[in-house]
Amino acid sequence: MSLFGAAIDYFVKGGPVMWPLLFCSIATIGIGVERFLYYRQADSGKAFTKQFCTYIEQDDWLNAKRLADGTKGEVAKLATIVMARHGNFERLEGFIMARAERAIDKFEKNLGYLGVLVALSPILGLLGTITGMIASFNALNERSTNPMAVTSGIGEALITTVFGLCISIFATLFHAYFTRRMKGITMDIEEMSNTLLEAIAKNIYDTTGGEKK
């Protein structure tokens, strides 16, 4: 029997609970791939944040702008927008905070669904276990005419449990990986924003003779 045929056979033996488990597995893989592609495109990288902040601290705004313009990702995009924006300091501070929160929301997208799949998959596997055991107990009365009915119910219970746990394991790994990356990106955004705000405030302080306006 081929691998595909064996998978279909296990799926059929798992009973009706295998359908929602199949949906959970597709959702887990889909979210994992979608988030991986998005993070690869939208993450400017820690090296960018470190170099950009170094330029700003050295008051080298020209190279900082060139670096931000030539780097992809949400952090670089936010840096470019802030450097090109004019206005009083208080409004600029609120603007940075709003744009930073919006950027973080993009990185958090769909991670909540992964958290749901982590908990839902083993519960569905447990549901399949219960329905399989019920089928086995019901088949005890028929074991003289159909001795395989008992073992098929036990097989259903075990298959759904294994599938549910496997899906939960993958969802947990995806969730932990993307949560860790999001935490790092959040720190990069905060570091870049604070460095820019401090530099802008210092320039305003210097040009106004000791008083921010």
Side-chain angles (χ1 to χ4, degrees):
M1 183 182 293
S2 66
L3 182 62
F4 179 77
I8 295 296
D9 184 56
Y10 275 112
F11 184 87
V12 173
K13 289 180 179 178
V17 179
M18 292 297 291
W19 288 103
L21 284 174
L22 176 63
F23 172 79
C24 289
S25 64
I26 294 174
T28 299
I29 295 173
I31 293 173
V33 172
E34 185 272 334
R35 286 290 84 191
F36 177 79
L37 294 177
Y38 177 77
Y39 274 61
R40 188 173 66 174
Q41 176 185 6
D43 186 5
S44 300
K46 191 168 292 294
F48 162 78
T49 304
K50 183 178 180 180
Q51 186 62 56
F52 179 83
C53 291
T54 299
Y55 283 142
I56 294 298
E57 290 168 354
Q58 294 173 352
D59 207 25
D60 190 353
W61 292 80
L62 180 59
N63 280 327
K65 188 176 187 309
R66 287 175 178 172
L67 178 63
D69 291 341
T71 305
K72 66 179 183 179
E74 292 293 329
V75 181
K77 180 181 178 181
L78 177 59
T80 300
I81 294 174
V82 172
M83 294 178 71
R85 189 175 178 86
H86 301 283
N88 63 56
F89 181 79
E90 288 76 14
R91 293 181 62 183
L92 182 61
E93 185 177 14
F95 173 80
I96 292 178
M97 292 180 62
R99 293 301 294 256
E101 290 179 0
R102 191 178 303 174
I104 293 172
D105 284 341
K106 293 180 181 179
F107 287 103
E108 288 180 339
K109 182 181 178 183
N110 292 332
L111 293 187
Y113 294 121
L114 271 180
V116 172
L117 291 168
V118 169
L120 181 60
S121 299
I123 292 176
L124 288 173
L126 178 60
L127 177 61
T129 300
I130 294 172
T131 57
M133 295 305 295
I134 291 174
S136 296
F137 288 135
N138 290 335
L140 287 175
N141 296 327
E142 305 173 3
R143 62 183 182 276
S144 58
T145 58
N146 186 12
M148 297 301 296
V150 177
T151 57
S152 65
I154 296 175
E156 175 183 338
L158 296 177
I159 290 171
T160 55
T161 301
V162 170
F163 270 76
L165 289 175
C166 288
I167 296 169
S168 181
I169 290 170
F170 280 104
T172 300
L173 293 174
F174 286 153
H175 189 271
Y177 172 74
F178 292 121
T179 300
R180 184 67 188 88
R181 286 198 64 179
M182 188 190 69
K183 183 178 180 180
I185 293 169
T186 301
M187 293 177 64
D188 289 342
I189 292 176
E190 291 177 353
E191 182 181 358
M192 183 275 297
S193 301
N194 291 334
T195 302
L196 268 178
L197 286 173
E198 289 176 4
I200 293 171
K202 180 177 179 295
N203 287 340
I204 294 175
Y205 183 87
D206 292 341
T207 56
T208 57
E211 183 181 359
K212 287 193 296 183
K213 302 201 179 202

